[in-house]
């Protein structure tokens, strides 16, 4: 399933673990003013055919979207597990990637990330989506967002709805794919040959290695959004856009 909107150069958005296109709901309207925006739901999510695959499958699906829906090379933006798919795409099909943006990326999952992914699957199987969302919020969002009651509750409603759209079986397959991919591309970052921007979150509990990843990619630029949590597209969409506009080209 690919959601399309806007005109101009194509921008492909790849959501992260346990997420769907709605994770970019605040960013997409800002981008469509300038670009042809494609947001893909991974396999097993929304109307995308399942079952969910591993990271190379995610990258192959992204390549198909760029080639057959986007009409050619695209600016590729991936968040978290979606950034893993974007890295894989840039390494295997560089001719389809006009530029690369990695939002809160990882190349080797930390023990905390692995523990959170495992717990995410378990809680999703045993509790309601609102309970899952509340259990994830302290890990995904910053202190500032969590301290703002109105913003927190509004964000939780959106996260709960997104959690309800991702089946447990899809989560488990995503988790297996994340574990299988972790560490396999750590030595290949120097082979990425497209313009790359890494967007890191200063208060990211799950993927804290953004700056190190940027140092491993030739000529990559890194922007750290101070005080922001892991879910950058949800809580810092305007700051994300401001950083992107300095990187994307018509």
């Amino acid at each position: 399933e690919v959601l399309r909107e806007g005109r101009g150069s194509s921008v492909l958005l790849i959501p992260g673990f346990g997420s769907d296109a709605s994770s970019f709901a605040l960013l997409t309207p800002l981008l469509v003013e300038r670009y042809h925006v494609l947001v893909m739901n991974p396999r097993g999510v929304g109307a995308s055919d399942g079952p969910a695959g591993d990271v190379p499958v995610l990258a192959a699906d992204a390549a198909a979207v760029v080639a057959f829906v986007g009409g050619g090379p695209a600016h590729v933006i991936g968040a978290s597990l979606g950034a893993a798919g974007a890295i894989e795409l840039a390494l295997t099909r560089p001719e389809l990637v006009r530029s690369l943006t990695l939002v809160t990326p990882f190349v080797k999952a930390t023990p905390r990330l692995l523990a959170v992914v495992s717990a995410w699957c378990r809680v999703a199987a045993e509790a309601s989506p609102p309970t899952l969302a509340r259990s994830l919020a302290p890990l995904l969002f910053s202190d500032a967002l969590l301290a703002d009651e109105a913003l927190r509750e509004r964000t939780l409603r959106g996260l709960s709805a997104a959690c309800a759209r991702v089946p447990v079986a899809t989560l488990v397959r995503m988790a297996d794919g994340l574990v299988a991919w972790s560490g396999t591309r750590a030595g290949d970052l120097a082979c990425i040959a497209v313009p790359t921007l890494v967007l890191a979150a200063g208060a990211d509990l799950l993927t804290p290695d953004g700056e190190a990843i940027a140092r491993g990619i030739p000529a990559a630029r890194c922007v750290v959004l101070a005080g922001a949590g892991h879910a950058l597209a949800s809580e810092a969409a305007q700051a994300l856009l401001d950083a992107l506009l300095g990187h994307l080209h018509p």
Side-chain angles (χ1 to χ4, degrees):
E1 181 181 23
V2 181
L3 309 181
R4 306 172 61 181
E5 192 174 359
R7 300 180 65 181
S9 300
S10 292
V11 174
L12 174 65
L13 301 173
I14 310 174
F17 179 86
S19 301
D20 66 357
S22 69
S23 63
F24 294 112
L26 297 179
L27 180 63
T28 300
L30 303 175
L31 286 172
V32 296
E33 297 176 4
R34 300 170 175 86
Y35 300 100
H36 175 214
V37 179
L38 311 168
V39 191
M40 61 178 284
N41 274 329
R43 294 189 186 200
V45 178
S48 291
D49 293 336
D54 56 15
V55 172
V57 170
L58 177 63
D61 289 343
V65 170
V66 172
F68 299 111
V69 180
H75 302 289
V76 177
I77 303 171
S80 195
L81 184 59
I87 289 170
E88 193 72 22
L89 176 62
L91 288 169
T92 57
R93 298 292 304 277
E95 75 279 5
L96 295 177
V97 181
R98 180 170 291 179
S99 73
L100 182 67
T101 301
L102 307 175
V103 182
T104 58
F106 70 93
V107 290
K108 183 173 177 57
T110 64
R112 183 189 300 274
L113 177 58
L114 294 174
V116 167
V117 164
S118 177
W120 191 325
C121 294
R122 182 69 175 267
V123 176
E126 298 182 0
S128 66
T131 298
L132 175 59
R134 287 191 180 276
S135 70
L136 293 173
L139 298 163
L140 297 178
F141 304 115
S142 67
D143 285 349
L145 185 149
L146 296 171
D148 184 328
E149 182 177 1
L151 178 58
R152 182 184 70 238
E153 294 305 310
R154 184 166 67 248
T155 302
L156 282 170
R157 287 194 296 272
L159 180 58
S160 175
C163 288
R165 292 191 290 269
V166 183
V168 174
T170 294
L171 284 176
V172 171
R173 293 188 182 100
M174 285 182 169
D176 290 344
L178 184 155
V179 171
W181 187 82
S182 176
T184 63
R185 289 299 197 178
D188 296 330
L189 295 180
C191 297
I192 294 177
V194 298
T196 301
L197 171 66
V198 177
L199 294 171
D204 191 347
L205 298 176
L206 302 182
T207 58
D209 299 328
E211 291 177 277
I213 291 170
R215 288 193 296 270
I217 299 173
R221 186 167 66 95
C222 183
V223 175
V224 179
L225 300 183
H230 181 73
L232 274 182
S234 296
E235 72 166 274
Q238 185 61 56
L240 200 61
L241 178 70
D242 293 342
L244 280 170
L245 291 182
H247 175 62
L248 304 182
H249 302 283

